[in-house]
Amino acid sequence: MKNQEITAIFFEIADILEMQNVQWKPRAYRKAAMAIESLSEPIEDVYKKGGKKALEAIPGVGENIAKKIEEIIKTGKLHYFEKLKKSMPIDVEALGAVPGLGPKKTVQLYKKLGIKNLDDLKKAALQHRIRHLPGFGEKTEEEILKGISLAKRAGERMLLGLALPVAKEVKSYLEKSKAVKAAEPAGSLRRRMETIGDIDILVASNKPKTVMDYFTAVPSVRKVLAKGSTKASVWVENNLQVDIRVIKPKQWGSALQYFTGSKQHSIELRKIALKKGLKLSEYGVFKGKRVIASKSEEDVYRALGLPYIEPELRENRGEIEAARHSKLPRLIGYDDIKGDFQMHTTYSDGNNGVEEMANAAKRLGYGFIAITDHVGALAIAHAMSKKTIERQFREIERIQKKFPRLRIFKGMEVDIKKNGQLNAASDVLRKADVVYGSIHHGFKGAERENSNRICKAFENKYIQILGHPTNRKINERNPIALNLDTVFEKAKQNNIALEINAMPNRLDLNDVNSKAAIETGCKLAIGTDAHSTEHLRYIELGIATARRAWAEKKNIINALPLKKLERFLQR
Ligand code: DGT
Ligand code: CA
Ligand code: CA
Ligand code: ZN
């Protein structure tokens, strides 16, 4: 999949051009980048099927950009980009990853202080040379220092939502080989952690050599880092590392258990084995020299006197204790979700219309969706006016008639003001079936202030769901300061659901916080926050987060039967 690679190149081109004060072009590249990022199919396939004309059919892609995409697909490189980078003395990619440092500021830092890379930047910030520049100040300098560590982390771990399609693609490629009996991504990806260090793929085969040759020839491989007789590591696009390990089919279960981890979970299992006079390794559960379990993971856990533990739970957060006492949750399944609570359309900042979203939801087999365009301060993402809302609701009613088996809730995502009021009048709120309250500005408040802001919003009788509760963005922005205990308690009292926002870079609430919310007795609502039909598939990431939070069906309102859901929403 070249989609991510091309997206990154275009964003970087936009940044460089902006630094060089070029007009218009940066916008064009960003627009194209965003369109390519949300494509659901590999752009190579688009090109293969329809050539340059098909590329030009992608929104925001004109003839010039289509030519560049073609060059990248054909040669793996873009001459224009290489030249552009050479013309720039600054490490645009690294500095661009620092939150709050846009292209303009980066250029200023270079011109005034000669800052070319992260090290220069850190030095200058520590020596307080940045705060004196016009437009920067003490606060910005502090933010930059914090941002540097985020940027360094960003270089290391990749979002689950980006790694998952890559892993699935490699898996299905491997499964096409006759030498491969089974192939499964293991490691943090199988546990569905929100970020992934590298992808570990386990293969069962009696012909490891054939598998090695086949794997290192995967089309998306950029560079082979190591290749042995049963192990190999490669880089695919985006500097994402994929490790592969080939084992014998009869060791599948114990090897899958071992390579899924987490390391901490496996260490605890080994302790249990020792207490039973057994030994656990990637090759099996041993009694003396005899293997007593190895074929399936179920066998391995059973040999240790435990029920099967789902991968998402294997973090040594109490799952082994729970397993021993038959107290494991009956995790919500990936098929248990009946709909999606948050999505945007062309009525605010989305790319698709109501009917297109409904069609996409129907294809997913959903029973309901909520259309939740922005309402509030007009500047935020083209928020809707009262007139627009009325027009949209009439359209939803009209479209609803065409979808007898899909309930389309009239919803809105209303901005929570700094004083805790919802930025919409009661007569507007009353007409909606689903009212989200979310914070979209003013992230810097202290813990008390932010917690009060949200608890105040909960007193509004129309709000039903708190959107992206902590406002963190993975690798980009820290969560706002919040007393989550207070917020969860208040949410429970007012019967307000907390969102698991399923956008790859949000996953907010995250796994740990969702688990705490469930333990408090709160309900959770999964919303993809889709801004196009393609984004609806991110629901998988929201469910993964719920599973990592030990959620059962009863904790997640997306799994309620429609009648019960309607009752919940009526309050
Ligand atoms: P990551 O890649 O940083 O997101 O995290 P993981 O969990 O995928 O870790 P990774 O890639 O270093 O190793 C893959 C799996 O292999 C890990 O989940 C458990 C297993 N593993 C690796 N090193 C050890 C070890 O020293 N002891 C044990 N018990 N298992 C290990
Ligand atoms: Ca890994
Ligand atoms: Ca690894
Ligand atoms: Zn929002």
Side-chain angles (χ1 to χ4, degrees):
M1 281 240 289
K2 289 226 176 10
N3 304 31
Q4 295 166 18
E5 194 187 353
I6 294 175
T7 302
I9 291 176
F10 285 179
F11 274 126
E12 203 174 328
I13 290 176
D15 283 351
I16 298 176
L17 291 175
E18 196 167 336
M19 289 180 197
Q20 297 176 342
N21 242 329
V22 178
Q23 303 292 311
W24 297 114
K25 276 191 179 176
R27 251 185 81 126
Y29 276 101
R30 287 201 185 103
K31 210 162 159 214
M34 281 189 277
I36 294 165
E37 191 171 34
S38 65
L39 281 181
S40 62
E41 82 185 301
I43 196 160
E44 304 92 292
D45 292 359
V46 175
Y47 178 67
K48 228 181 276 160
K49 273 185 262 170
K52 233 170 66 197
K53 278 275 160 291
L55 295 176
E56 284 175 35
I58 300 170
V61 175
E63 201 191 333
N64 177 34
I65 289 185
K67 240 193 262 164
K68 298 207 161 63
I69 298 173
E70 185 178 38
E71 187 185 332
I72 299 173
I73 291 176
K74 278 192 175 155
T75 68
K77 272 201 280 220
L78 182 59
H79 183 67
Y80 168 72
F81 177 51
E82 302 300 324
K83 232 177 68 191
L84 201 60
K85 270 203 294 197
K86 281 214 188 89
S87 74
M88 232 22 222
I90 310 174
D91 185 349
V92 177
E93 200 181 353
L95 291 177
V98 177
L101 256 199
K104 295 228 168 69
K105 282 200 161 126
T106 308
V107 162
Q108 214 182 335
L109 287 171
Y110 172 67
K111 284 193 178 149
K112 297 270 164 59
L113 301 174
I115 291 170
K116 291 187 202 159
N117 51 42
L118 283 181
D119 283 340
D120 295 347
L121 182 68
K122 188 167 180 185
K123 241 187 252 157
L126 288 172
Q127 293 167 352
H128 299 317
R129 283 188 285 138
I130 293 174
R131 60 177 66 178
H132 304 300
L133 295 180
F136 281 80
E138 206 169 313
K139 194 118 196 186
T140 313
E141 193 177 74
E142 274 166 32
E143 293 289 315
I144 285 176
L145 263 178
K146 260 193 252 158
I148 291 171
S149 60
L150 276 176
K152 287 214 162 129
R153 256 188 280 152
E156 286 162 12
R157 299 188 65 84
M158 163 166 280
L159 299 178
L160 174 65
L162 296 182
L164 208 47
V166 176
K168 285 180 181 170
E169 192 180 280
V170 176
K171 173 181 152 87
S172 65
Y173 176 85
L174 285 168
E175 283 169 346
K176 287 193 191 111
S177 160
K178 281 207 184 72
V180 171
K181 297 260 187 273
E184 198 61 51
S188 51
L189 186 119
R190 182 161 180 248
R191 305 197 310 277
R192 299 292 190 263
M193 275 184 75
E194 62 187 35
T195 61
I196 304 297
D198 64 1
I199 298 178
D200 307 282
I201 298 197
L202 190 69
V203 171
S205 170
N206 291 313
K207 294 182 179 145
K209 168 103 185 28
T210 314
V211 176
M212 285 295 115
D213 293 339
Y214 185 73
F215 172 67
T216 46
V218 171
S220 52
V221 166
R222 272 294 126 81
K223 189 172 175 184
V224 177
L225 301 169
K227 185 178 169 189
S229 55
T230 58
K231 280 196 250 185
S233 287
V234 301
W235 264 347
V236 292
E237 290 119 36
N238 263 331
N239 296 346
L240 184 57
Q241 185 175 328
V242 183
D243 291 347
I244 190 172
R245 176 75 175 250
V246 183
I247 51 100
K248 297 197 180 81
K250 66 174 184 207
Q251 291 164 345
W252 177 252
S254 45
L256 186 58
Q257 195 293 311
Y258 180 91
F259 289 108
T260 297
S262 66
K263 198 169 153 186
Q264 235 33 52
H265 172 88
S266 297
I267 288 173
E268 291 304 311
L269 287 188
R270 240 172 288 145
K271 285 189 200 156
I272 292 181
L274 283 180
K275 272 196 208 136
K276 290 182 177 295
L278 304 170
K279 201 181 129 243
L280 169 67
S281 77
E282 55 194 285
Y283 306 109
V285 181
F286 291 83
K287 189 170 217 164
K289 290 214 159 116
R290 196 164 57 89
V291 178
I292 61 165
S294 69
K295 264 216 186 89
S296 72
E297 284 192 314
E298 282 83 354
D299 291 347
V300 169
Y301 281 99
R302 197 180 309 119
L304 302 176
L306 297 173
Y308 177 73
I309 301 177
E310 304 272 5
E312 292 92 333
L313 297 179
R314 300 183 196 170
E315 297 292 349
N316 195 28
R317 291 179 184 155
E319 72 280 7
I320 293 175
E321 262 313 283
R324 274 168 55 172
H325 297 100
S326 306
K327 292 241 161 71
L328 281 174
R330 286 172 59 121
L331 287 190
I332 183 158
Y334 286 94
D335 295 330
D336 285 334
I337 291 296
K338 298 182 164 55
D340 189 332
F341 279 105
Q342 201 194 161
M343 66 196 64
H344 300 266
T345 69
T346 44
Y347 277 94
S348 64
D349 58 350
N351 286 335
N352 294 99
V354 174
E355 186 157 2
E356 287 172 308
M357 295 310 272
N359 264 316
K362 186 176 153 188
R363 280 196 295 276
L364 291 172
Y366 282 170
F368 78 88
I369 50 171
I371 304 287
T372 52
D373 278 303
H374 291 280
V375 172
L378 275 170
I380 294 171
H382 310 278
M384 296 186 293
S385 67
K386 193 173 162 187
K387 274 239 162 62
T388 315
I389 297 168
E390 282 164 4
R391 190 157 53 82
Q392 184 190 41
F393 283 8
R394 279 197 302 275
E395 183 179 352
I396 292 178
E397 280 164 18
R398 198 155 42 72
I399 291 173
Q400 174 69 81
K401 296 197 183 105
K402 299 193 202 168
F403 292 86
R405 293 148 84 85
L406 177 75
R407 177 83 162 89
I408 309 173
F409 289 119
K410 291 174 275 187
M412 46 182 71
E413 185 187 17
V414 187
D415 193 37
I416 299 175
K417 296 200 281 192
K418 271 197 164 169
N419 63 8
Q421 282 173 351
L422 293 191
N423 205 338
S426 298
D427 64 327
V428 172
L429 294 170
R430 194 171 16 182
K431 298 201 178 97
D433 305 312
V434 173
V435 174
Y436 257 76
S438 308
I439 290 181
H440 289 112
H441 64 96
F443 299 133
K444 291 196 177 136
E447 185 178 301
R448 273 265 304 271
E449 197 180 322
N450 293 336
S451 307
N452 287 343
R453 179 176 179 183
I454 289 175
C455 289
K456 180 88 201 304
F458 286 171
E459 282 163 15
N460 184 302
K461 68 175 176 179
Y462 296 105
I463 181 175
Q464 289 142 324
I465 302 174
L466 175 66
H468 41 75
T470 75
N471 273 288
R472 65 99 175 237
K473 286 196 176 168
I474 302 172
N475 293 339
E476 288 172 48
R477 186 166 77 204
N478 287 321
I480 59 173
L482 268 187
N483 185 331
L484 284 174
D485 291 339
T486 313
V487 170
F488 292 167
E489 201 50 59
K490 185 87 175 180
K492 183 186 159 193
Q493 281 165 22
N494 290 276
N495 204 23
I496 284 155
L498 303 160
E499 184 184 51
I500 295 180
N501 186 296
M503 273 275 150
N505 67 342
R506 283 199 188 258
L507 297 181
D508 180 14
L509 296 173
N510 68 10
D511 51 359
V512 173
N513 292 335
S514 298
K515 185 161 188 271
I518 290 171
E519 281 161 7
T520 308
C522 296
K523 299 276 187 233
L524 297 169
I526 303 176
T528 57
D529 204 351
H531 284 68
S532 77
T533 51
E534 312 292 352
H535 292 161
L536 291 173
R537 67 195 149 93
Y538 293 145
I539 198 87
E540 181 184 358
L541 307 175
I543 304 169
T545 305
R547 286 167 62 86
R548 287 178 58 83
W550 296 44
E552 304 194 344
K553 265 169 85 167
K554 63 174 190 237
N555 306 121
I556 308 289
I557 60 174
N558 307 58
L560 286 175
L562 195 57
K563 282 268 160 317
K564 282 196 177 162
L565 176 58
E566 279 170 347
R567 217 171 306 141
F568 176 87
L569 293 174
Q570 268 160 20
R571 294 203 288 141

